[in-house]
């Protein structure tokens, strides 16, 4: 079933300005979708598949049975962007009695949405993909903000304008899903540098 | 819909239970004797409700009337403006930073901030496929003595900001201007202020820059006729529970005014300068007797006195005034100051226009004032937490 293809992605990072390196993508046969970027999710026949990097190769996870999960996002907003990347922020609350891990995010307005964190590298704060997702303890909140943890919209499909509503579907490690809304806002900050060196799949 | 926590000038004036209502000696700043007190004092006005805030509550001490035009007049862009406005106003008026607030610390003191949005008649010609506007909602025609300057007149929409703190006000205006910057352009801003002190002990009226007591005969919220005078209850459904704002920038010709002696100044209005009593009366609140004459049989309130002509011929021919003073310093060697006349009415055709018609014709005051700006806006109805201001235009 698996056919390995190499696809070249030339996304320009809106926040940091440099081009993402061409990606060797593993295009596992999923109906209508290619696993071309870590963080992508696809839901088919009540199963959600996550695009993950394993030993430097992008592969779809096994299907997680979709259910609803009580995660909410308040104060949600997304930075305006015409192409490329943009950051989405807000306060995510885990309203369940167990810890949840957000491992995938999807939006109709972006090719992929990744979970990003800020780390210190060579004396500078850079953002990078958080490969294991965001874990939120039971009943607790996680603040997503410029300069901290955030959601990264990659490959924006249609310009995000001021006042636009965007819907993001958050998927947990157990297949739980919640759809949340963010609003497009003018914001000058949040121009972090994107470090892709930990995103192992992004080697040619 | 208003929630006034803590001690505020408002609760003192409105007298919600407090003794010594509106005594000049217990004014707003008098109460805020210590820094500690001002840090803990949270004076805020609820945002959600049937009507927008910024109309029924006591006006904040300072105001900005910010007029905007849509850059690209589409329905979608208007909707974005209204969503962003609602989201920002719901937060900022409650002392919370806006989303993506560049200076969140400037939002923590709500200081009775209100933010109120109204749409201009031009919006309905510029934006395709909007529902039609009420028949009674149009630009106010220019009156013969007006010298209207486009830089103070008209726009697609307006936001009225009222507040008791200049830092909070600046922050709110700046935040909105930034948020709307890709959608709308600011056409003009009128900044206004009101006196913090009642005109004299025991009144809620304040003095304007001519020194007159203003607000004596004004149907305030709580008045049994206020609701029908102010809130729209006819015409298209989307405008119901909104109101119409008439905003005029009226310059006071102070050099000329100061030449008049006090009794002449009092005759121009028909009320006393010291305590606002109508001529012939002792106190401000006494019903005005327009028939009263002096010993020679001459009317005490002259035929052309401002209050005689402005007085509604019927109960429905009345408007609710909520004005601010403006002072633009000295321009070309002359003081540039006056009144930002802001009046609210459910139907200007039956209330405002007849009044203004009489004033334009023969008001004594016309010699000392000139209208230099004029705009009309339909203040949209209020909204709930699950909607946004103006949503009724899209359903
Ligand atoms: C710079 C311009 C103006 C000044 C200085 C001014 C001043 C005053 C003063 C001192 C009073 C008496 C106290 C009170 O009831 O508030 C008054 C009353 C009033 N004014 Fe004006 N006014 C101005 C413009 C206007 C305009 C443009 C209108 C409306 C078209 C208007 C409508 C009224 C009305 C309805 C009253 C109450 C009359 C009554 O029923 O007794 N005023 N104004
Ligand atoms: Cu990022």
């Amino acid at each position: 079933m698996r056919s390995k293809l190499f696809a070249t992605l030339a996304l320009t990072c809106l926040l940091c300005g440099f081009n993402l390196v061409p990606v060797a993508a593993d295009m596992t046969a999923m109906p209508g979708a290619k696993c071309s970027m870590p963080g992508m999710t696809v839901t088919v026949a009540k199963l959600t598949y996550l695009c993950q990097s394993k030993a430097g190769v992008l592969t779809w996870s096994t299907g997680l049975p979709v259910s609803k999960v009580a995660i909410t996002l308040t104060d949600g907003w997304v930075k305006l962007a015409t192409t490329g990347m943009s950051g989405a922020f807000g306060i995510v609350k885990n309203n369940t009695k167990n810890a949840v891990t957000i491992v995938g995010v999807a939006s109709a307005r972006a090719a992929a949405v990744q979970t990003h964190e800020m780390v210190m590298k060579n004396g500078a704060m850079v953002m990078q993909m958080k490969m294991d997702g965001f874990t939120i303890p039971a009943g607790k909140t996680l603040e997503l903000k410029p300069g901290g943890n955030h959601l990264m919209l990659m490959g924006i499909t249609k310009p995000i304008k001021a006042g636009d509503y965007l819907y993001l579907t958050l998927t947990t490690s157990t297949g739980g899903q919640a759809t949340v809304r963010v609003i497009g806002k003018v914001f000058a900050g949040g121009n972090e540098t994107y470090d892709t060196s930990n995103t192992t799949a992004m080697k040619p | 819909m208003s929630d006034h926590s803590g001690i505020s000038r408002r609760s003192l004036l409105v007298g919600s239970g407090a003794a010594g209502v509106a005594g000049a000696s217990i004014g707003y700043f008098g109460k805020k004797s210590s820094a500690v007190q001002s840090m803990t004092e949270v004076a805020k006005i609820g945002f959600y409700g049937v009507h927008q805030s910024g109309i029924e509550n006591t006006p904040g001490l300072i105001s900005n009337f910010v007029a905007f035009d849509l850059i690209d007049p589409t329905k979608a862009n208007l909707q974005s403006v209204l969503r962003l406005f609602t989201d920002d106003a719901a937060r900022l008026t409650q002392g919370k930073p806006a989303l993506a607030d560049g200076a969140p610390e400037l939002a923590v003191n709500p200081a009775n901030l209100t933010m109120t949005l109204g749409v201009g008649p031009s919006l309905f010609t510029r934006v395709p496929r909007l529902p039609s506007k009420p028949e009674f909602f149009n630009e106010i025609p220019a009156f013969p003595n007006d010298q209207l300057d486009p830089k103070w007149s008209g726009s697609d929409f307006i936001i009225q900001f009222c507040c008791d703190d200049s830092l909070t006000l600046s922050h709110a205006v700046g935040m909105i201007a930034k948020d709307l910057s890709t959608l709308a352009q600011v056409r003009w801003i009128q900044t206004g202020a009101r006196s913090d002190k009642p005109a004299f002990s025991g009144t809620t009226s304040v003095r304007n820059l001519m020194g007159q007591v203003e607000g004596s005969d004004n149907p305030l919220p709580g008045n049994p006729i206020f609701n029908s005078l102010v809130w729209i209850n006819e015409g298209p459904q989307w405008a119901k529970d909104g109101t119409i704002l008439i905003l005029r920038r009226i310059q006071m010709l102070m050099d000329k005014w100061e030449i008049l002696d006090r009794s002449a100044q009092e005759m121009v209005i028909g009320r006393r300068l010291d305590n606002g009593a109508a001529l012939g009366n002792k106190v401000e609140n006494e019903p005005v007797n327009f028939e009263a004459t002096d010993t020679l049989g001459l009317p005490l309130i002259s035929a052309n006195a401002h209050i005689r002509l402005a007085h509604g011929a019927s109960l429905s021919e009345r408007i609710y005034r909520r004005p601010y003073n403006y002072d633009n310093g000295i321009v070309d060697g002359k003081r540039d100051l006056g009144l930002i006349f802001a009046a609210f009415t459910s139907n200007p055709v039956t209330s405002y226009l007849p009044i203004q018609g009489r004033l334009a014709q023969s008001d004594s005051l016309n010699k000392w004032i000139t209208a230099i700006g004029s705009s009309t806006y339909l203040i949209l109805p209020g909204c709930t937490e699950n909607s946004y201001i103006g949503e009724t235009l899209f359903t």
Side-chain angles (χ1 to χ4, degrees), chain B residues 29-94:
Chain B
F29 292 109
K31 259 289 168 202
K32 285 164 71 167
S33 50
S34 73
V36 175
Q37 198 166 9
S38 74
M39 288 301 287
T40 53
E41 181 178 308
V42 180
K44 58 184 180 188
I45 294 161
F47 176 74
Y48 297 109
V50 176
H51 310 297
Q52 285 194 68
S53 60
I55 296 160
E56 285 190 331
N57 52 278
T58 307
L61 296 177
I62 45 179
S63 66
N64 269 203
F65 291 85
V66 187
F68 293 89
D69 287 329
L70 286 174
I71 294 168
D72 177 15
T74 66
K75 236 179 138 171
N77 286 343
L78 176 65
Q79 193 174 37
S80 292
V81 164
L82 294 166
R83 285 170 176 171
L84 287 165
F85 164 78
T86 304
D87 194 75
D88 283 354
R91 293 167 197 277
L92 293 169
T93 58
Q94 304 310 299

Side-chain angles (χ1 to χ4, degrees), chain B residues 5-318:
Chain B
S5 344
I7 297 160
S8 69
R9 180 179 61 102
R10 216 150 259 96
S11 61
L12 292 173
L13 289 183
V14 172
S16 49
V21 173
S25 58
I26 53 160
Y28 187 54
F29 292 109
K31 259 289 168 202
K32 285 164 71 167
S33 50
S34 73
V36 175
Q37 198 166 9
S38 74
M39 288 301 287
T40 53
E41 181 178 308
V42 180
K44 58 184 180 188
I45 294 161
F47 176 74
Y48 297 109
V50 176
H51 310 297
Q52 285 194 68
S53 60
I55 296 160
E56 285 190 331
N57 52 278
T58 307
L61 296 177
I62 45 179
S63 66
N64 269 203
F65 291 85
V66 187
F68 293 89
D69 287 329
L70 286 174
I71 294 168
D72 177 15
T74 66
K75 236 179 138 171
N77 286 343
L78 176 65
Q79 193 174 37
S80 292
V81 164
L82 294 166
R83 285 170 176 171
L84 287 165
F85 164 78
T86 304
D87 194 75
D88 283 354
R91 293 167 197 277
L92 293 169
T93 58
Q94 304 310 299
K96 294 182 192 136
L99 296 181
D101 198 326
E105 289 81 5
L106 298 185
V108 297
N109 172 23
N112 290 315
L113 173 69
T114 57
M115 294 165 62
T116 316
L117 188 141
V119 292
S122 63
L123 197 76
F124 294 84
T125 45
R126 293 189 68 219
V127 177
R129 291 186 305 280
L130 277 187
S132 57
K133 62 181 173 56
E135 280 169 24
F136 52 81
F137 173 51
N138 294 297
E139 277 318 331
I140 297 294
F143 291 89
N145 5 30
D146 290 358
Q147 291 179 21
L148 303 181
D149 186 333
K151 85 173 177 204
W152 301 123
S153 306
S155 70
D156 287 347
F157 65 98
I158 196 164
I159 302 174
Q160 172 197 267
F161 298 77
C162 303
C163 192
D164 289 341
D165 184 275
S166 62
L167 205 59
T168 306
L169 180 69
S170 288
H171 177 62
V173 172
M175 191 68 224
I176 281 283
K178 180 177 77 175
D179 266 347
L180 302 187
S181 59
T182 58
L183 298 162
Q185 252 163 2
V186 173
R187 196 197 285 198
W188 47 258
I189 300 185
Q190 299 195 40
T191 60
R194 284 171 66 94
S195 175
D196 183 27
K197 272 215 158 93
F200 50 87
S201 173
T203 186
T204 56
S205 300
V206 287
R207 291 193 187 274
N208 64 24
L209 288 168
M210 283 179 150
Q212 299 147 351
V213 177
E214 256 201 65
S216 313
D217 207 336
N218 198 17
L220 293 178
N223 187 311
I225 59 170
F226 181 88
N227 285 346
S228 64
L229 283 182
V230 170
W231 303 119
I232 296 173
N233 197 15
E234 56 183 331
Q237 194 61 23
W238 66 262
K240 192 177 175 291
D241 293 317
T243 182
I244 287 169
L245 162 66
I246 289 139
L247 190 70
R248 283 167 72 82
R249 188 174 181 86
I250 305 177
Q251 198 169 39
M252 295 171 170
L253 311 177
M254 294 309 286
D255 301 358
K256 284 191 180 174
W257 178 249
E258 280 163 3
I259 296 168
L260 288 186
D261 61 41
R262 281 177 74 86
S263 62
Q265 291 182 345
E266 291 178 333
M267 277 179 63
V268 167
I269 296 293
R271 283 183 179 270
R272 276 164 57 171
L273 283 164
D274 58 353
N275 68 356
L279 299 181
N281 285 350
K282 287 205 169 55
V283 293
E284 185 191 17
N285 293 337
E286 254 176 282
V288 182
N289 178 4
F290 288 105
E291 316 308 325
T293 52
D294 64 11
T295 46
L296 297 172
L298 294 172
L300 284 174
I301 298 168
S302 76
N304 296 337
H306 181 70
I307 65 164
R308 180 186 293 280
L309 297 169
H311 190 71
S314 69
L315 265 189
S316 62
E317 198 188 283
R318 300 193 67 193

